[in-house]
């Protein structure tokens, strides 16, 4: 399946149905009074996270979503039916953003979360609601209100506990395959990985965590060079980071290491401050072990520990895994992205759709009170 992590959509919730203007015309009650029912509420458009999904592919092919309108009211005190909500499913980890300001509207991390993207309009009141002692035959009713219409941007941030960074062809996919159940396609050429791979790693004490290999970074990635922003953003979710350096290349490994660290800082200062587990990979290749040892000594002067590993043979990977688990144990829970989306203490119940439910319940109560008061008179 193609990995799609961004999409822009246009949504239009359903309009409320208009109230009816009608009067009773029974045989023995020729002037029986108003009987126009209320219009039904328009349908909401709701996002729901589904753990079985891993991509926003569906939204790339269909970008326009319109929900049904509420039914009009009818005579004989019959209310129109409310329209059924339009449900759109997305993977956990989806952000909803304003496409113009970039403001985060919702951060849907967990499975089964529901969020109302656009609220349906209220149904209009029928003329039976407007009868009074001085206006016994109202010949008007309320129109329904319009449903919300918005343009929104969806962005998927992978929910991996541990992310791996490094230059292209550093061996990230091979290491994921070695440590986890994932079986990514692997070949020996730059930019092998064009799609992030997630693997579940089973630790020796029975715990498990999700490991992601992100496509190789290059200098200028924070400005969008190469695969740039497309994949750096996924690191913001990770609680631990493995920085993989390719020791098989006859290059300045320290310069490579600093270049990637610089890209992380320029993209997001908080990401750059995150603790990194450094590993020199491919020590099974001739002369690579010597380069890795020299690299380890240079970083030791900066009090940075380097693990010497081979993703191909498995050498050193158990010690690397132990270091990753220690970092996960010490890591804080990931913060919300871009802004604090938690409800304020004085905001009351702000669950998606809750305010709309309260308003509609209040409408129903007010209608009942009007009718009760009219019957008493």
């Amino acid at each position: 399946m193609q990995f799609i992590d961004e999409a822009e959509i246009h949504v239009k919730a359903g309009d409320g149905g208009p109230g009816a203007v009608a009067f009773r015309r029974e045989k023995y009650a020729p002037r029986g009074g108003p009987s126009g029912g209320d219009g039904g509420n328009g349908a909401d458009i709701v996002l729901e996270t589904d753990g079985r999904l891993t991509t926003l592919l569906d939204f790339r092919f269909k970008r326009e979503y319109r929900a049904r309108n509420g039914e009009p009211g009818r005579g004989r005190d019959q209310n129109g039916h409310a329209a059924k909500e339009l449900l759109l499913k997305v993977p956990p980890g989806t952000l909803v953003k304003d496409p113009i300001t970039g403001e985060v509207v919702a951060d849907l991390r967990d499975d089964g979360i529901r969020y109302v993207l656009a609220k349906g309009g209220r149904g209009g009141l029928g003329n039976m609601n407007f009868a009074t002692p001085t206006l016994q035959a109202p010949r008007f009713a309320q129109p329904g209100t319009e449903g919300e219409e918005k343009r929104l941007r969806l962005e998927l941030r992978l929910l991996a506990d541990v992310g791996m960074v490094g230059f292209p062809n550093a061996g990230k996919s091979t290491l994921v395959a070695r440590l986890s159940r994932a079986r990514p396609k692997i070949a020996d050429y730059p930019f092998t990985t064009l799609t992030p791979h997630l693997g579940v790693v089973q630790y020796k004490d029975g715990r498990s965590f999700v490991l992601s290999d992100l496509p190789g970074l290059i200098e200028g990635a924070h400005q969008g060079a190469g695969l740039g922003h497309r994949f750096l953003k996924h690191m913001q979710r990770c609680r631990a980071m493995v920085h993989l350096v390719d020791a098989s290349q006859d290059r300045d490994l320290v310069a490579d290491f600093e270049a990637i660290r610089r890209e992380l800082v320029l993209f997001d200062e908080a990401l750059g401050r995150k603790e990194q587990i450094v590993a020199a990979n491919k020590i099974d290749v001739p002369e690579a072990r010597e380069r890795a040892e020299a690299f380890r000594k240079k970083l030791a002067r900066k009090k940075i520990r380097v693990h010497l590993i081979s993703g191909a043979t498995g050498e050193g990977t158990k010690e690397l895994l132990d270091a990753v688990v220690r970092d996960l144990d010490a890591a804080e829970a990931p913060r919300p992205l871009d802004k604090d989306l938690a409800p304020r203490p004085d905001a009351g119940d702000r669950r998606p759709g809750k305010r709309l439910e309260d308003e509609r319940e209040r409408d129903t109560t007010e209608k009942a009170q009007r009718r009760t008061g009219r019957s008493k008179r």
Side-chain angles (χ1 to χ4, degrees):
M1 179 183 291
Q2 188 179 5
F3 181 76
I4 300 296
D5 60 353
E6 295 179 355
E8 193 167 306
I9 60 174
H10 178 264
V11 294
K12 172 65 172 71
D15 298 335
V21 176
F23 297 91
R24 292 187 180 86
R25 290 293 183 265
E26 288 88 355
K27 183 176 180 180
Y28 298 105
R31 304 179 67 181
S35 65
D38 303 336
N41 292 325
D44 300 336
I45 298 181
V46 179
L47 275 189
E48 183 177 71
T49 53
D50 185 339
R52 295 169 296 181
L53 301 177
T54 58
T55 176
L56 297 174
L57 182 63
D58 290 345
F59 298 96
R60 182 59 63 93
F61 297 115
K62 183 179 179 183
R63 303 191 180 194
E64 196 90 15
Y65 295 90
R66 291 183 175 271
R68 292 181 177 275
N69 298 333
E71 287 187 353
R74 297 183 289 275
R76 298 187 180 181
D77 296 351
Q78 296 180 72
N79 295 333
H81 290 295
K84 186 178 179 181
E85 70 180 19
L86 176 58
L87 185 64
L88 308 177
K89 295 199 173 186
V90 295
T94 298
L95 286 177
V96 183
K97 284 187 169 185
D98 183 307
I100 298 174
T101 65
E103 179 186 8
V104 177
V105 178
D107 186 354
L108 310 177
R109 296 185 179 195
D110 301 318
D111 191 15
I113 297 294
R114 289 168 57 86
Y115 177 77
V116 179
L117 273 186
K119 299 179 180 68
R122 299 182 191 176
L125 298 177
N127 70 333
M128 65 180 180
N129 294 279
F130 300 103
T132 67
T134 57
L135 183 62
Q136 297 182 358
R139 296 184 177 277
F140 58 87
Q142 276 186 341
T145 61
E146 291 187 358
E148 290 184 328
E149 186 169 6
K150 299 177 181 177
R151 184 167 292 278
L152 297 163
R153 184 174 183 78
L154 304 180
E155 290 187 7
L156 176 61
R157 304 288 174 91
L158 294 178
L159 294 176
D161 299 300
V162 183
M164 276 196 289
V165 296
F167 272 104
N169 213 26
K172 295 183 292 297
S173 298
T174 302
L175 187 57
V176 168
R178 165 67 60 179
L179 297 178
S180 74
R181 304 175 191 170
R183 292 294 177 267
K185 294 179 180 179
I186 299 166
D188 189 18
Y189 52 88
F191 285 107
T192 294
T193 308
L194 298 178
T195 297
H197 296 105
L198 295 178
V200 178
V201 179
Q202 296 287 349
Y203 193 55
K204 56 191 175 186
D205 63 359
R207 283 184 293 173
S208 62
F209 60 87
V210 179
L211 174 67
S212 172
D213 71 316
L214 298 176
L217 303 180
I218 62 174
E219 291 191 67
H222 70 281
Q223 297 175 324
L227 299 173
H229 292 145
R230 290 290 309 277
F231 296 108
L232 272 171
K233 65 185 181 184
H234 293 297
M235 288 301 301
Q236 294 174 307
R237 295 280 195 189
C238 299
R239 294 162 53 211
M241 187 188 310
V242 175
H243 188 152
L244 212 58
V245 176
D246 182 2
S248 69
Q249 299 292 321
D250 187 12
R251 295 167 54 94
D252 185 342
L253 302 186
V254 175
D256 285 356
F257 171 74
E258 294 295 347
I260 293 296
R261 286 221 303 185
R262 187 163 53 251
E263 292 303 321
L264 295 172
V265 171
L266 291 172
F267 180 75
D268 182 348
E269 287 187 13
L271 185 58
R273 290 194 300 268
K274 190 174 291 187
E275 198 71 30
Q276 296 180 24
I277 301 166
V278 185
N281 192 23
K282 303 186 183 180
I283 59 172
D284 56 294
V285 176
E287 299 182 5
R289 191 180 297 270
E290 290 75 14
R291 278 192 288 267
E293 286 287 0
F295 174 62
R296 175 157 62 180
K297 290 175 183 177
K298 290 177 181 177
L299 260 61
R301 297 172 196 155
K302 301 181 180 183
K303 297 183 179 180
I304 298 174
R305 182 183 177 186
V306 177
H307 296 266
L308 304 191
I309 68 165
S310 168
T313 67
E315 183 181 350
T317 56
K318 290 182 180 178
E319 293 77 10
L320 177 66
L321 204 53
D322 291 340
V324 168
V325 171
R326 285 195 297 270
D327 262 26
L328 285 175
D329 288 342
E332 297 179 357
R335 61 185 173 85
L337 296 172
D338 298 317
K339 59 179 276 190
D340 183 7
L341 297 174
R344 299 187 305 273
D346 60 340
D349 192 343
R350 293 172 64 95
R351 287 174 295 165
K354 177 63 175 154
R355 185 164 61 86
L356 190 63
E357 292 169 10
D358 290 344
E359 290 173 355
R360 289 175 174 172
E361 185 177 345
R362 187 164 59 248
D363 286 347
T364 304
T365 304
E366 289 172 357
K367 293 174 189 176
Q369 289 173 345
R370 277 198 288 270
R371 291 168 188 165
T372 305
R374 189 167 68 247
S375 62
K376 287 180 180 178
R377 288 194 294 270

